[in-house]
PDB file of all heavy atoms in Angstrom:
ATOM      1  N   THR N 798       0.837  -1.212  -0.067  1.00  0.00           N
ATOM      2  CA  THR N 798      -0.025  -0.039  -0.004  1.00  0.00           C
ATOM      3  C   THR N 798       0.844   1.338  -0.105  1.00  0.00           C
ATOM      4  O   THR N 798       0.366   2.349  -0.024  1.00  0.00           O
ATOM      5  CB  THR N 798      -0.938  -0.019   1.243  1.00  0.00           C
ATOM      6  OG1 THR N 798      -0.094   0.012   2.360  1.00  0.00           O
ATOM      7  CG2 THR N 798      -1.854  -1.130   1.186  1.00  0.00           C
ATOM      8  N   CYS N 799       2.128   1.035   0.073  1.00  0.00           N
ATOM      9  CA  CYS N 799       3.061   2.184  -0.064  1.00  0.00           C
ATOM     10  C   CYS N 799       3.035   2.880  -1.398  1.00  0.00           C
ATOM     11  O   CYS N 799       2.560   2.315  -2.395  1.00  0.00           O
ATOM     12  CB  CYS N 799       4.552   1.738   0.130  1.00  0.00           C
ATOM     13  SG  CYS N 799       4.873   1.142   1.814  1.00  0.00           S
ATOM     14  N   GLU N 800       3.496   4.058  -1.513  1.00  0.00           N
ATOM     15  CA  GLU N 800       3.581   4.807  -2.719  1.00  0.00           C
ATOM     16  C   GLU N 800       4.328   4.000  -3.849  1.00  0.00           C
ATOM     17  O   GLU N 800       5.502   3.632  -3.633  1.00  0.00           O
ATOM     18  CB  GLU N 800       4.214   6.203  -2.558  1.00  0.00           C
ATOM     19  CG  GLU N 800       4.368   7.083  -3.723  1.00  0.00           C
ATOM     20  CD  GLU N 800       2.904   7.448  -4.285  1.00  0.00           C
ATOM     21  OE1 GLU N 800       2.049   7.815  -3.475  1.00  0.00           O
ATOM     22  OE2 GLU N 800       2.776   7.340  -5.449  1.00  0.00           O
ATOM     23  N   LEU N 801       3.736   3.883  -5.007  1.00  0.00           N
ATOM     24  CA  LEU N 801       4.343   3.092  -6.131  1.00  0.00           C
ATOM     25  C   LEU N 801       4.957   3.954  -7.223  1.00  0.00           C
ATOM     26  O   LEU N 801       5.279   3.594  -8.289  1.00  0.00           O
ATOM     27  CB  LEU N 801       3.443   2.146  -6.711  1.00  0.00           C
ATOM     28  CG  LEU N 801       2.830   1.064  -5.824  1.00  0.00           C
ATOM     29  CD1 LEU N 801       1.768   0.214  -6.476  1.00  0.00           C
ATOM     30  CD2 LEU N 801       3.974   0.235  -5.190  1.00  0.00           C
ATOM     31  N   GLU N 802       4.961   5.324  -6.933  1.00  0.00           N
ATOM     32  CA  GLU N 802       5.596   6.222  -7.954  1.00  0.00           C
ATOM     33  C   GLU N 802       7.069   6.376  -7.816  1.00  0.00           C
ATOM     34  O   GLU N 802       7.585   7.294  -8.439  1.00  0.00           O
ATOM     35  CB  GLU N 802       4.895   7.685  -7.649  1.00  0.00           C
ATOM     36  CG  GLU N 802       3.312   7.637  -7.918  1.00  0.00           C
ATOM     37  CD  GLU N 802       3.060   7.457  -9.380  1.00  0.00           C
ATOM     38  OE1 GLU N 802       3.839   7.961 -10.271  1.00  0.00           O
ATOM     39  OE2 GLU N 802       2.140   6.748  -9.616  1.00  0.00           O
ATOM     40  N   GLU N 803       7.721   5.608  -6.955  1.00  0.00           N
ATOM     41  CA  GLU N 803       9.211   5.691  -6.754  1.00  0.00           C
ATOM     42  C   GLU N 803       9.761   5.364  -8.146  1.00  0.00           C
ATOM     43  O   GLU N 803       9.378   4.344  -8.838  1.00  0.00           O
ATOM     44  CB  GLU N 803       9.651   4.548  -5.898  1.00  0.00           C
ATOM     45  CG  GLU N 803       9.328   4.908  -4.428  1.00  0.00           C
ATOM     46  CD  GLU N 803      10.227   5.973  -3.763  1.00  0.00           C
ATOM     47  OE1 GLU N 803      11.312   6.115  -4.329  1.00  0.00           O
ATOM     48  OE2 GLU N 803       9.758   6.604  -2.744  1.00  0.00           O
ATOM     49  N   VAL N 804      10.842   6.127  -8.569  1.00  0.00           N
ATOM     50  CA  VAL N 804      11.551   5.977  -9.713  1.00  0.00           C
ATOM     51  C   VAL N 804      12.536   4.844  -9.615  1.00  0.00           C
ATOM     52  O   VAL N 804      13.316   4.919  -8.681  1.00  0.00           O
ATOM     53  CB  VAL N 804      12.197   7.263 -10.297  1.00  0.00           C
ATOM     54  CG1 VAL N 804      13.045   7.048 -11.508  1.00  0.00           C
ATOM     55  CG2 VAL N 804      11.195   8.344 -10.583  1.00  0.00           C
ATOM     56  N   VAL N 805      12.553   3.908 -10.550  1.00  0.00           N
ATOM     57  CA  VAL N 805      13.519   2.772 -10.534  1.00  0.00           C
ATOM     58  C   VAL N 805      14.668   3.182 -11.378  1.00  0.00           C
ATOM     59  O   VAL N 805      14.398   3.316 -12.674  1.00  0.00           O
ATOM     60  CB  VAL N 805      12.853   1.450 -10.982  1.00  0.00           C
ATOM     61  CG1 VAL N 805      13.840   0.343 -11.079  1.00  0.00           C
ATOM     62  CG2 VAL N 805      11.727   1.043  -9.912  1.00  0.00           C
ATOM     63  N   LYS N 806      15.851   3.246 -11.012  1.00  0.00           N
ATOM     64  CA  LYS N 806      17.066   3.520 -11.732  1.00  0.00           C
ATOM     65  C   LYS N 806      17.824   2.267 -12.227  1.00  0.00           C
ATOM     66  O   LYS N 806      18.526   2.321 -13.255  1.00  0.00           O
ATOM     67  CB  LYS N 806      17.964   4.384 -10.996  1.00  0.00           C
ATOM     68  CG  LYS N 806      17.321   5.753 -10.654  1.00  0.00           C
ATOM     69  CD  LYS N 806      18.168   6.554  -9.898  1.00  0.00           C
ATOM     70  CE  LYS N 806      17.494   7.966  -9.504  1.00  0.00           C
ATOM     71  NZ  LYS N 806      18.383   8.782  -8.508  1.00  0.00           N
ATOM     72  N   THR N 807      17.659   1.235 -11.451  1.00  0.00           N
ATOM     73  CA  THR N 807      18.328  -0.110 -11.801  1.00  0.00           C
ATOM     74  C   THR N 807      17.596  -1.068 -10.995  1.00  0.00           C
ATOM     75  O   THR N 807      16.734  -0.935 -10.094  1.00  0.00           O
ATOM     76  CB  THR N 807      19.809   0.019 -11.456  1.00  0.00           C
ATOM     77  OG1 THR N 807      20.455  -1.217 -11.868  1.00  0.00           O
ATOM     78  CG2 THR N 807      19.875   0.048  -9.866  1.00  0.00           C
ATOM     79  N   ILE N 808      17.847  -2.416 -11.529  1.00  0.00           N
ATOM     80  CA  ILE N 808      17.235  -3.644 -10.837  1.00  0.00           C
ATOM     81  C   ILE N 808      18.390  -4.623 -10.451  1.00  0.00           C
ATOM     82  O   ILE N 808      19.471  -4.564 -11.318  1.00  0.00           O
ATOM     83  CB  ILE N 808      16.199  -4.324 -11.740  1.00  0.00           C
ATOM     84  CG1 ILE N 808      16.859  -4.866 -13.074  1.00  0.00           C
ATOM     85  CG2 ILE N 808      15.074  -3.389 -11.975  1.00  0.00           C
ATOM     86  CD1 ILE N 808      15.832  -5.593 -13.879  1.00  0.00           C
ATOM     87  N   SER N 809      18.246  -5.292  -9.439  1.00  0.00           N
ATOM     88  CA  SER N 809      19.269  -6.221  -9.045  1.00  0.00           C
ATOM     89  C   SER N 809      18.831  -7.255  -7.992  1.00  0.00           C
ATOM     90  O   SER N 809      17.936  -6.943  -7.276  1.00  0.00           O
ATOM     91  CB  SER N 809      20.473  -5.483  -8.399  1.00  0.00           C
ATOM     92  OG  SER N 809      21.516  -6.319  -8.105  1.00  0.00           O
ATOM     93  N   TYR N 810      19.442  -8.411  -8.074  1.00  0.00           N
ATOM     94  CA  TYR N 810      19.193  -9.522  -6.976  1.00  0.00           C
ATOM     95  C   TYR N 810      20.476  -9.541  -6.076  1.00  0.00           C
ATOM     96  O   TYR N 810      20.325 -10.469  -5.236  1.00  0.00           O
ATOM     97  CB  TYR N 810      18.708 -10.796  -7.600  1.00  0.00           C
ATOM     98  CG  TYR N 810      19.816 -11.431  -8.535  1.00  0.00           C
ATOM     99  CD1 TYR N 810      20.766 -12.199  -7.959  1.00  0.00           C
ATOM    100  CD2 TYR N 810      19.632 -11.194  -9.831  1.00  0.00           C
ATOM    101  CE1 TYR N 810      21.755 -12.629  -8.767  1.00  0.00           C
ATOM    102  CE2 TYR N 810      20.592 -11.791 -10.656  1.00  0.00           C
ATOM    103  CZ  TYR N 810      21.608 -12.510 -10.222  1.00  0.00           C
ATOM    104  OH  TYR N 810      22.686 -13.060 -11.028  1.00  0.00           O
ATOM    105  N   ASN N 811      21.411  -8.764  -6.370  1.00  0.00           N
ATOM    106  CA  ASN N 811      22.677  -8.839  -5.528  1.00  0.00           C
ATOM    107  C   ASN N 811      22.690  -7.537  -4.627  1.00  0.00           C
ATOM    108  O   ASN N 811      22.774  -6.482  -5.045  1.00  0.00           O
ATOM    109  CB  ASN N 811      23.811  -8.684  -6.484  1.00  0.00           C
ATOM    110  CG  ASN N 811      25.130  -8.949  -5.776  1.00  0.00           C
ATOM    111  OD1 ASN N 811      25.329  -8.722  -4.561  1.00  0.00           O
ATOM    112  ND2 ASN N 811      26.211  -9.353  -6.472  1.00  0.00           N
ATOM    113  N   SER N 812      22.450  -7.858  -3.352  1.00  0.00           N
ATOM    114  CA  SER N 812      22.496  -6.668  -2.435  1.00  0.00           C
ATOM    115  C   SER N 812      23.796  -5.887  -2.388  1.00  0.00           C
ATOM    116  O   SER N 812      23.749  -4.648  -2.094  1.00  0.00           O
ATOM    117  CB  SER N 812      22.270  -7.199  -0.961  1.00  0.00           C
ATOM    118  OG  SER N 812      23.206  -8.238  -0.572  1.00  0.00           O
ATOM    119  N   LYS N 813      24.843  -6.502  -2.789  1.00  0.00           N
ATOM    120  CA  LYS N 813      26.127  -5.634  -2.853  1.00  0.00           C
ATOM    121  C   LYS N 813      26.147  -4.650  -3.990  1.00  0.00           C
ATOM    122  O   LYS N 813      26.833  -3.715  -3.911  1.00  0.00           O
ATOM    123  CB  LYS N 813      27.345  -6.615  -3.008  1.00  0.00           C
ATOM    124  CG  LYS N 813      27.583  -7.531  -1.842  1.00  0.00           C
ATOM    125  CD  LYS N 813      28.705  -8.479  -2.177  1.00  0.00           C
ATOM    126  CE  LYS N 813      28.863  -9.519  -1.116  1.00  0.00           C
ATOM    127  NZ  LYS N 813      29.826 -10.565  -1.430  1.00  0.00           N
ATOM    128  N   GLU N 814      25.201  -4.891  -4.947  1.00  0.00           N
ATOM    129  CA  GLU N 814      25.089  -3.861  -6.076  1.00  0.00           C
ATOM    130  C   GLU N 814      24.090  -2.822  -5.875  1.00  0.00           C
ATOM    131  O   GLU N 814      23.827  -2.010  -6.613  1.00  0.00           O
ATOM    132  CB  GLU N 814      24.819  -4.675  -7.393  1.00  0.00           C
ATOM    133  CG  GLU N 814      25.830  -5.654  -7.777  1.00  0.00           C
ATOM    134  CD  GLU N 814      25.553  -6.400  -9.021  1.00  0.00           C
ATOM    135  OE1 GLU N 814      24.332  -6.429  -9.485  1.00  0.00           O
ATOM    136  OE2 GLU N 814      26.364  -7.180  -9.534  1.00  0.00           O
ATOM    137  N   ALA N 815      23.235  -3.013  -4.803  1.00  0.00           N
ATOM    138  CA  ALA N 815      22.101  -2.049  -4.590  1.00  0.00           C
ATOM    139  C   ALA N 815      22.624  -0.626  -4.323  1.00  0.00           C
ATOM    140  O   ALA N 815      23.564  -0.398  -3.537  1.00  0.00           O
ATOM    141  CB  ALA N 815      21.247  -2.582  -3.423  1.00  0.00           C
ATOM    142  N   VAL N 816      21.987   0.226  -5.028  1.00  0.00           N
ATOM    143  CA  VAL N 816      22.213   1.695  -4.855  1.00  0.00           C
ATOM    144  C   VAL N 816      20.847   2.318  -4.786  1.00  0.00           C
ATOM    145  O   VAL N 816      19.946   1.837  -4.865  1.00  0.00           O
ATOM    146  CB  VAL N 816      23.142   2.218  -5.992  1.00  0.00           C
ATOM    147  CG1 VAL N 816      24.566   1.640  -5.994  1.00  0.00           C
ATOM    148  CG2 VAL N 816      22.475   1.953  -7.376  1.00  0.00           C
ATOM    149  N   GLU N 817      20.940   3.812  -4.674  1.00  0.00           N
ATOM    150  CA  GLU N 817      19.848   4.618  -4.666  1.00  0.00           C
ATOM    151  C   GLU N 817      18.961   4.251  -5.886  1.00  0.00           C
ATOM    152  O   GLU N 817      19.526   4.322  -7.015  1.00  0.00           O
ATOM    153  CB  GLU N 817      20.198   6.077  -4.662  1.00  0.00           C
ATOM    154  CG  GLU N 817      19.020   7.031  -4.568  1.00  0.00           C
ATOM    155  CD  GLU N 817      18.617   7.278  -3.087  1.00  0.00           C
ATOM    156  OE1 GLU N 817      19.468   7.021  -2.156  1.00  0.00           O
ATOM    157  OE2 GLU N 817      17.479   7.646  -2.923  1.00  0.00           O
ATOM    158  N   GLY N 818      17.708   3.933  -5.748  1.00  0.00           N
ATOM    159  CA  GLY N 818      16.862   3.732  -6.836  1.00  0.00           C
ATOM    160  C   GLY N 818      16.771   2.286  -7.357  1.00  0.00           C
ATOM    161  O   GLY N 818      16.247   2.121  -8.407  1.00  0.00           O
ATOM    162  N   THR N 819      17.359   1.309  -6.638  1.00  0.00           N
ATOM    163  CA  THR N 819      17.345  -0.110  -7.010  1.00  0.00           C
ATOM    164  C   THR N 819      16.112  -0.714  -6.660  1.00  0.00           C
ATOM    165  O   THR N 819      15.464  -0.566  -5.633  1.00  0.00           O
ATOM    166  CB  THR N 819      18.444  -0.859  -6.384  1.00  0.00           C
ATOM    167  OG1 THR N 819      19.826  -0.259  -6.808  1.00  0.00           O
ATOM    168  CG2 THR N 819      18.457  -2.320  -6.785  1.00  0.00           C
ATOM    169  N   LEU N 820      15.512  -1.419  -7.709  1.00  0.00           N
ATOM    170  CA  LEU N 820      14.381  -2.350  -7.350  1.00  0.00           C
ATOM    171  C   LEU N 820      15.066  -3.811  -7.111  1.00  0.00           C
ATOM    172  O   LEU N 820      15.637  -4.209  -7.997  1.00  0.00           O
ATOM    173  CB  LEU N 820      13.421  -2.480  -8.534  1.00  0.00           C
ATOM    174  CG  LEU N 820      12.180  -3.462  -8.264  1.00  0.00           C
ATOM    175  CD1 LEU N 820      11.382  -2.964  -7.084  1.00  0.00           C
ATOM    176  CD2 LEU N 820      11.295  -3.498  -9.545  1.00  0.00           C
ATOM    177  N   PHE N 821      14.951  -4.180  -5.826  1.00  0.00           N
ATOM    178  CA  PHE N 821      15.778  -5.359  -5.420  1.00  0.00           C
ATOM    179  C   PHE N 821      14.843  -6.590  -5.539  1.00  0.00           C
ATOM    180  O   PHE N 821      13.713  -6.527  -4.943  1.00  0.00           O
ATOM    181  CB  PHE N 821      16.235  -5.113  -3.915  1.00  0.00           C
ATOM    182  CG  PHE N 821      17.050  -6.291  -3.334  1.00  0.00           C
ATOM    183  CD1 PHE N 821      18.265  -6.450  -3.841  1.00  0.00           C
ATOM    184  CD2 PHE N 821      16.508  -7.032  -2.484  1.00  0.00           C
ATOM    185  CE1 PHE N 821      19.052  -7.519  -3.457  1.00  0.00           C
ATOM    186  CE2 PHE N 821      17.233  -8.035  -1.886  1.00  0.00           C
ATOM    187  CZ  PHE N 821      18.630  -8.354  -2.412  1.00  0.00           C
ATOM    188  N   PHE N 822      15.461  -7.653  -5.903  1.00  0.00           N
ATOM    189  CA  PHE N 822      14.648  -8.908  -6.013  1.00  0.00           C
ATOM    190  C   PHE N 822      15.197  -9.901  -4.964  1.00  0.00           C
ATOM    191  O   PHE N 822      16.543 -10.188  -4.883  1.00  0.00           O
ATOM    192  CB  PHE N 822      14.992  -9.579  -7.407  1.00  0.00           C
ATOM    193  CG  PHE N 822      14.153  -8.877  -8.449  1.00  0.00           C
ATOM    194  CD1 PHE N 822      14.547  -7.637  -9.008  1.00  0.00           C
ATOM    195  CD2 PHE N 822      13.002  -9.348  -8.889  1.00  0.00           C
ATOM    196  CE1 PHE N 822      13.801  -6.924  -9.913  1.00  0.00           C
ATOM    197  CE2 PHE N 822      12.169  -8.726  -9.848  1.00  0.00           C
ATOM    198  CZ  PHE N 822      12.620  -7.557 -10.405  1.00  0.00           C
ATOM    199  N   CYS N 823      14.371 -10.407  -4.076  1.00  0.00           N
ATOM    200  CA  CYS N 823      14.651 -11.354  -3.108  1.00  0.00           C
ATOM    201  C   CYS N 823      14.340 -12.726  -3.750  1.00  0.00           C
ATOM    202  O   CYS N 823      13.311 -13.020  -4.092  1.00  0.00           O
ATOM    203  CB  CYS N 823      13.739 -11.272  -1.903  1.00  0.00           C
ATOM    204  SG  CYS N 823      13.636  -9.646  -1.118  1.00  0.00           S
ATOM    205  N   LYS N 824      15.523 -13.505  -4.129  1.00  0.00           N
ATOM    206  CA  LYS N 824      15.279 -14.685  -4.838  1.00  0.00           C
ATOM    207  C   LYS N 824      16.188 -15.758  -4.393  1.00  0.00           C
ATOM    208  O   LYS N 824      17.190 -15.562  -3.878  1.00  0.00           O
ATOM    209  CB  LYS N 824      15.430 -14.493  -6.336  1.00  0.00           C
ATOM    210  CG  LYS N 824      16.919 -14.288  -6.731  1.00  0.00           C
ATOM    211  CD  LYS N 824      17.004 -14.500  -8.264  1.00  0.00           C
ATOM    212  CE  LYS N 824      18.373 -14.843  -8.721  1.00  0.00           C
ATOM    213  NZ  LYS N 824      18.915 -16.083  -8.307  1.00  0.00           N
ATOM    214  N   GLY N 825      15.810 -16.957  -4.637  1.00  0.00           N
ATOM    215  CA  GLY N 825      16.493 -18.122  -4.441  1.00  0.00           C
ATOM    216  C   GLY N 825      16.395 -18.770  -3.048  1.00  0.00           C
ATOM    217  O   GLY N 825      15.940 -18.122  -2.152  1.00  0.00           O
TER     218      GLY N 825
END
């Protein structure tokens, strides 16, 4: 229910690569 207007600058499933604007995938 949070605001979904956040701008996504990158996507990743590696937490070490996460930066401002990352859509993070919890997988595996």
Side-chain angles (χ1 to χ4, degrees):
T798 57
C799 293
E800 182 62 45
L801 299 177
E802 293 295 320
E803 292 279 340
V804 174
V805 175
K806 297 177 183 173
T807 187
I808 60 175
S809 182
Y810 59 85
N811 186 341
S812 58
K813 294 176 184 175
E814 295 176 354
V816 295
E817 185 84 22
T819 299
L820 181 59
F821 181 71
F822 286 78
C823 308
K824 73 163 201 66

